[in-house]
């Protein structure tokens, strides 16, 4: 690895893809010396003494050892000594609440929702540093999406670093081999999508002589509904009407999307027991050859392809994400982030120390670190084929790196150097990038409402339960309208009022 590229420690900007790939080969191999990494070295990280940095963050597997090779490489490159408290994702929110209550705070703490009432109270009491004024000094942090920073603002100010995510990843994953069997092409309209789901259900797409398949699989939270609703022209969560915020379910397009789902259910084109299924059971329907399509994160397509071909050698997975509706091509947009790193003033005593910590996160966004956290260590987690990285054992990388150390990263997890990809991976990767231009965003993302904070879950349950009942035929249009009135009286009108007031304030 060292022989492939020696990068000088001069902060040279890497602009060539070829040089970038070579940086991966150097950065993730045995050479752990600091390299240019495409950003240079910030003044805040120039101190010779390692920064002692305590961090509380979540994990999805077993906690790694503090002397792991991955942590050693991070510490050497960023000139830090890390003290990381790893907390299981399932209990993370409770741990945050307990930690804030104890007053014994780490220097950097991951917060999953910075609009929770206790977090808002803590911010407004002066517990956390405002970081917005400092970001321009850091090569990587200064390039983070300003619209996403707007989404995490509290009272117009930035109190942390968001963990970036792609804005639009949802699409329709389907059995392309089934599509060929039934003689249809990939859908471009809602009518064509309906015809495919009908054929997948009734035209024996697996050619076993039995009617034992279904067009679409879904789960109890109706994960694919928002994507379908966006295709049909509905808002994302909320919309601005006459200068005020209005929830998506008041729109006629949302109601049309419910009618579409009801049609699928009535005609048995969707799994009939979807209201009791979870995400894994939904995946099993595809992997076991029971269902022909699922609406979810397109990144899942590669996993479906790999699993299916073990049981069904001729299986061919494909994706589509642009379905033309009455308002043209649209797709559901996310918030652009998942969780926020925040910095308590009780632990970070000085502005100078805050700048050092921001420098750590800036260095962690250098390409060398993105590749370490995205690919792992060469020879153990990945190898190089045809000049590109490919996993040796992705499960091992997930366990030792992705499920824990990757949670430290604020850049997108897709920011690592592009590896050896299949045609399918290249296709949905391009879709995810291109779809940012047509993603429908939620205008309430930058807003907060005390009523939404305290009653949001209860209010959401009213609508979600009523939507499912409508799809199942247990609720008619009159019943749906009654559910909306129930939502209004339970606090929904107050949420509209509070969101609208803050929207008007921010617009000034």
């Amino acid at each position: 690895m060292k022989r492939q590229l020696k990068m000088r420690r001069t902060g040279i900007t890497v602009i060539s893809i070829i040089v970038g790939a070579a940086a991966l080969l150097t950065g993730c191999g045995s050479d752990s010396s600091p390299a240019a990494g495409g950003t240079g070295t910030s003044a805040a990280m120039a101190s010779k003494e390692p920064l002692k940095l305590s961090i509380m963050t979540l994990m999805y597997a077993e906690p790694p050892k503090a002397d792991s090779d991955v942590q050693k490489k991070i510490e050497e490159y960023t000139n830090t000594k890390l003290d990381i408290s790893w907390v299981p994702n399932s209990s993370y929110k409770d741990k945050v609440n307990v930690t804030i209550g104890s007053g014994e705070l780490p220097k950097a703490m991951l917060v999953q929702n910075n609009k929770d009432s206790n977090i808002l109270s803590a911010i407004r009491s002066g517990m956390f540093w405002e970081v917005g004024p400092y970001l321009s000094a850091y090569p990587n942090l200064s390039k983070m999406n300003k619209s996403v920073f707007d989404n995490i603002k509290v009272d117009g100010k930035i109190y942390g670093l968001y963990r970036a995510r792609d804005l639009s990843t949802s699409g329709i994953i389907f059995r392309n081999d089934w599509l060929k069997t039934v003689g249809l092409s990939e859908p471009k309209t809602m009518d064509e999508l309906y015809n495919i789901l009908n054929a997948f259900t009734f035209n024996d797409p697996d050619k076993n002589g039995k009617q034992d398949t279904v067009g679409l699989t879904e789960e109890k939270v109706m994960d694919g509904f928002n994507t379908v609703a966006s295709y049909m022209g509905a808002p994302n969560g909320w919309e601005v009407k006459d200068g005020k915020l209005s929830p998506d379910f008041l729109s006629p397009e949302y109601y049309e999307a419910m009618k579409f789902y009801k049609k699928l259910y009535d005609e048995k084109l969707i799994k009939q027991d979807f209201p009791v299924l979870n995400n894994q059971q939904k995946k099993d329907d595809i992997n076991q050859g029971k269902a022909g399509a699922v609406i979810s994160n397109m990144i899942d397509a590669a996993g479906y392809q790999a699993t299916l071909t073990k049981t069904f050698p001729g299986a061919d997975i494909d994706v589509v994400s642009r379905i033309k509706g009455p308002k043209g091509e649209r797709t559901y947009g996310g918030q652009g982030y998942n969780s926020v790193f925040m910095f308590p003033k009780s632990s970070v005593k000085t502005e100078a120390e805050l700048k050092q910590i921001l420098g750590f996160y800036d260095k962690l966004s250098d390409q060398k670190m993105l590749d370490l956290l995205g690919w792992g260590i060469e020879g153990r987690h990945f190898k190089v084929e045809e000049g590109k990285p490919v996993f040796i054992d992705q499960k091992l990388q997930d366990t030792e790196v992705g499920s824990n150390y990757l949670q430290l990263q604020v850049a997108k997890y897709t920011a690592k150097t592009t590896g050896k990809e299949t045609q399918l991976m290249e296709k949905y990767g391009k879709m995810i990038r291109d779809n940012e231009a047509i993603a429908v965003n939620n205008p309430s993302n930058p807003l907060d409402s005390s009523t939404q904070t305290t009653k949001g879950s209860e209010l959401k349950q009213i609508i979600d339960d009523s939507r499912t009942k409508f799809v199942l035929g247990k609720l008619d249009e009159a019943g749906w309208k009654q559910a909306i009135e129930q939502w209004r009286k339970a606090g929904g009108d107050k949420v509209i009022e509070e969101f609208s007031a803050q929207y008007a304030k921010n617009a000034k």
Side-chain angles (χ1 to χ4, degrees), residues 169-386:
T169 61
S170 61
I172 302 167
I173 301 172
F174 61 93
R175 288 285 297 271
N176 194 43
D177 53 318
W178 285 15
L179 196 65
K180 293 175 182 176
T181 298
V182 299
L184 296 173
S185 301
E186 73 173 39
K188 292 182 172 57
T189 67
M190 291 303 297
D191 286 342
E192 290 175 358
L193 175 60
Y194 166 82
N195 290 336
I196 288 170
L197 299 181
N198 186 288
F200 280 178
T201 304
F202 296 113
N203 294 3
D204 193 21
D206 59 355
K207 298 184 289 187
N208 69 351
K210 301 176 183 178
Q211 190 176 311
D212 57 356
T213 57
V214 68
L216 182 69
T217 184
E218 185 56 281
E219 60 184 304
K220 57 187 174 183
V221 298
M222 292 175 66
D223 189 47
F225 179 84
N226 288 330
T227 299
V228 168
S230 70
Y231 292 156
M232 301 183 78
N236 177 353
W238 292 77
E239 66 178 328
V240 180
K241 294 183 68 175
D242 301 322
K244 295 184 178 181
L245 273 288
S246 177
D248 55 0
F249 54 81
L250 294 185
S251 70
E253 295 89 354
Y254 187 100
Y255 187 71
E256 288 302 311
M258 290 203 308
K259 286 168 63 177
F260 180 79
Y261 257 68
K262 185 177 188 304
K263 180 180 176 68
L264 297 183
Y265 183 82
D266 289 345
E267 298 180 12
K268 295 181 171 53
L269 309 187
I270 189 172
K271 277 295 292 286
Q272 297 293 283
D273 59 346
F274 82 83
V276 298
L277 299 182
N278 59 34
N279 186 57
Q280 185 56 53
Q281 290 169 313
K282 179 181 71 173
K283 287 185 175 182
D284 290 343
D285 285 335
I286 299 292
N287 288 330
Q288 295 171 8
K290 297 176 181 178
V294 62
I295 303 169
S296 71
N297 191 324
M298 289 187 285
I299 293 174
D300 293 341
Y304 285 126
Q305 180 69 65
T307 302
L308 273 167
T309 51
K310 294 177 182 178
T311 308
F312 308 98
D316 177 28
I317 287 291
D318 207 346
V319 294
V320 64
S321 62
R322 294 199 175 207
I323 300 294
K324 190 172 183 179
K327 295 183 180 179
E329 290 184 338
R330 297 154 46 97
T331 188
Y332 185 75
Q335 292 182 312
Y337 74 98
N338 179 0
S339 307
V340 180
F341 276 107
M342 301 179 69
F343 312 104
K345 290 181 178 178
S346 61
S347 306
V348 183
K349 304 288 187 181
T350 66
E351 181 183 50
E353 187 176 21
L354 174 67
K355 289 180 177 179
Q356 278 191 289
I357 294 171
L358 292 176
F360 164 78
Y361 284 98
D362 188 72
K363 292 290 289 181
L364 208 61
S365 294
D366 280 358
Q367 197 62 52
K368 184 172 183 177
M369 290 291 97
L370 297 180
D371 291 332
L372 174 66
L373 300 183
W375 287 106
I377 297 173
E378 188 191 15
R380 179 170 178 80
H381 304 113
F382 81 96
K383 59 184 176 180
V384 177
E385 291 183 357
E386 300 174 7

